[in-house]
Amino acid sequence: MRIGFGYDVHRLVNGRELILGGVKIPFERGLAGHSDADVVTHAIIDALLGAAGAGDIGRHFPDTDPCYKGISSLVMLSRVGDLIVRRGFQVANIDAVIVAQAPKLAGYLPAMEELIARALGVAKEKVNVKATTTEGLGFAGAGEGMAAYAVASLQEG
Ligand code: MG
């Protein structure tokens, strides 16, 4: 059994769609970034890469590479899923938490779990996504950005 951890932050800006766990969420602002800036999917990618001992998201998908501009983070996740299988691992489970003051995310979490599981080709029971506020504290509480944390465990074989 191998464990990996991931963390990511993106800034909230006007004029961008809000995509979290592959789900488009109605909100007046979205996350800024080179890709679709799906902060929770990025944290999960880093957790999976960490568990596999395979570096980080910036190494596999450099934000200086124009081919990743606007890319769906689920596509990146799917490629990381392939990498894990090539290295002889399978996903045991993933657990993630999104840190956002608004909007309310609880109703979207099952759809995120479904899309993340589908991108990885694993059962949706292996993926858990949670959300929390920071009670108004810090950059997430001020609505300046969102953060996400994730852990992933992989089984060999
Ligand atoms: Mg990111």
Side-chain angles (χ1 to χ4, degrees):
M1 178 75 75
R2 296 173 62 112
I3 308 291
F5 174 70
Y7 172 66
D8 195 25
V9 172
H10 282 265
R11 186 181 295 274
L12 271 168
V13 294
N14 293 321
R16 291 269 298 183
E17 287 186 330
L18 178 60
I19 311 284
L20 292 170
V23 179
K24 196 161 104 178
I25 293 166
F27 193 51
E28 63 267 24
R29 292 181 297 155
L31 295 172
H34 185 67
S35 66
D36 64 2
D38 183 339
V39 67
V40 65
T41 301
H42 291 185
I44 290 170
I45 286 171
D46 261 356
L48 289 166
L49 289 171
D56 64 25
I57 189 169
R59 192 166 111 195
H60 291 269
F61 308 100
D63 65 7
T64 50
D65 189 332
C67 80
Y68 299 121
K69 187 167 166 49
I71 192 175
S72 165
S73 296
L74 290 181
V75 172
M76 297 193 275
L77 180 64
S78 180
R79 289 185 196 168
V80 168
D82 292 343
L83 174 148
I84 283 161
V85 170
R86 279 201 308 277
R87 294 205 174 198
F89 298 113
Q90 55 177 323
V91 175
N93 79 300
I94 290 167
D95 187 25
V97 58
I98 303 165
V99 184
Q101 195 62 38
K104 289 243 177 293
L105 297 174
Y108 300 102
L109 300 175
M112 294 182 203
E113 291 167 352
E114 179 97 40
L115 290 175
I116 290 161
R118 198 185 301 165
L120 288 168
V122 304
K124 69 174 189 301
E125 292 71 27
K126 293 188 167 187
V127 180
N128 193 79
V129 181
K130 310 181 296 293
T132 188
T133 71
T134 58
E135 302 282 348
L137 297 170
F139 70 84
E144 293 167 358
M146 292 184 182
Y149 301 83
V151 289
S153 66
L154 303 180
Q155 287 166 323
E156 277 162 82

